[in-house]
Amino acid sequence: MEEETRLLPPDREGLAEAARLLAEGRLVAFPTETVYGLGGDARNDRAVAAVFDAKGRPRFNPLIVHLPSLEAARKIAVFDATAERLASAFWPGPLTLVLPVRPEAGLSPLVTAGLDTVAVRVPAHPVARALLEAFGGPLAGPSANPSGKVSPTRPAHVLSGLSGRIAAVVDGGDCAVGVESTIVGLAEGPVLLRPGGIPAEAIEACLGGPLPTGGHAEKPSAPGQLASHYAPSARVRLGADTPKQGEVWLGFGHDALEADLNLSPTGDLVEAAANLFHYLREADALAGEGGAIAVSPIPEKGLGRAINDRLRRAAAPRPAA
Ligand code: TXA
Ligand code: MG
């Protein structure tokens, strides 16, 4: 869907307009001290699906959730003593912490890619902070560039990649740091998941101990990459034009109006992505113990690629328990 992308000034009116657009579920790019982020309401399934769609991401990687303060971050993630220590040393600033998510926070499961952890960060850029205050909620914010392209550090970079695909860009001039935030996972002792704006040495000095590197694609610390990670307990059959006896039918499009659940009766891939994690859970519950789910074919284009990636994992052979 093409739309006119507006460049908003970082003053009171521009920020109020950006906050209004975000509350409507629209996408607004915003400056941070690292790179420009592509903001969408992290509680709104449609908005988060639209973030993946605008970037053309081929899979649902978990996204970083941006918050105005440590206090706000504590409402969506569980902080242990180490997390508190790192947050008070480096926030606001270019550090992201991966922590257990609070289910009651109401985040879209697309933001966490269905994981039970969430990446949180409190940015230092005054315009990002002012926008987060004005919006008053958690913002998903991957870098504001098409998937596979260089991260943007100026409004012009954002526009050259995403013009016509997002509602607005808040103009905050050039980003000072220019590389993404450092990501530290704290699930089983601190690990460096991505090097970035804060040197690992500074984090080690704060921790008073080493910060091993972790989180490679094949390792369990990046579970979204594991082939069968997303598996529901029911068996999953893909590319099903009609269900077999006893299967729960998870449909898509007009040809599946009789389905038990339909990801998008009109065949809208953004709507289907927004519904995907919720409907897989529901289908799993409907299928019951030892049951099976049949899923309609999903076109391999746009967000359909990310949906199919996720479905293939759901259908992948399970490791023996
Ligand atoms: O500097 C930055 O961090 C920029 C600016 C805009 O704030 N944002 C950014 O966001 O780089 P994003 O969403 O592109 O970063 C996602 C990274 C990925 O490497 C992803 O694997 C990791 O965060 N990540 C997010 N949630 C995770 C989780 N629950 N477990 C492990 N890794 C996670
Ligand atoms: Mg990026």
Side-chain angles (χ1 to χ4, degrees), residues 52-64:
F52 285 100
D53 189 44
K55 284 183 67 77
R57 274 210 183 167
R59 53 174 52 171
F60 298 118
N61 304 334
L63 303 178
I64 295 174

Side-chain angles (χ1 to χ4, degrees), residues 49-167:
V51 167
F52 285 100
D53 189 44
K55 284 183 67 77
R57 274 210 183 167
R59 53 174 52 171
F60 298 118
N61 304 334
L63 303 178
I64 295 174
V65 175
H66 296 69
L67 297 144
S69 63
L70 172 56
E71 199 189 347
R74 286 195 196 106
K75 295 200 174 119
I76 69 158
V78 180
F79 282 68
D80 64 8
T82 311
E84 288 284 346
R85 181 173 189 152
L86 289 174
S88 42
F90 297 108
W91 281 357
L95 175 70
T96 294
L97 298 174
V98 175
L99 302 172
V101 65
R102 291 191 190 279
E104 71 275 17
L107 294 181
S108 166
L110 279 176
V111 162
T112 55
L115 302 175
D116 50 15
T117 53
V118 61
V120 287
R121 124 164 169 85
V122 176
H125 197 293
V127 175
R129 294 170 64 76
L131 177 63
L132 286 163
E133 287 293 351
F135 174 58
L139 272 191
S143 54
N145 53 281
S147 188
K149 297 284 178 356
V150 177
S151 293
T153 54
R154 294 178 178 176
H157 299 165
V158 178
L159 288 169
S160 80
L162 296 176
S163 188
R165 302 183 69 86
I166 63 177

Side-chain angles (χ1 to χ4, degrees), residues 16 32 61 107 137 162 183 207 220 235 258 297 320-321:
T32 79
N61 304 334
L107 294 181
L162 296 176
I183 305 182
L207 291 170
R235 274 169 293 119
E258 320 277 273

Side-chain angles (χ1 to χ4, degrees), residues 249-263:
W249 189 12
L250 179 57
F252 174 80
H254 314 91
D255 297 336
L257 296 180
E258 320 277 273
D260 298 288
L261 296 160
N262 191 314
L263 289 166

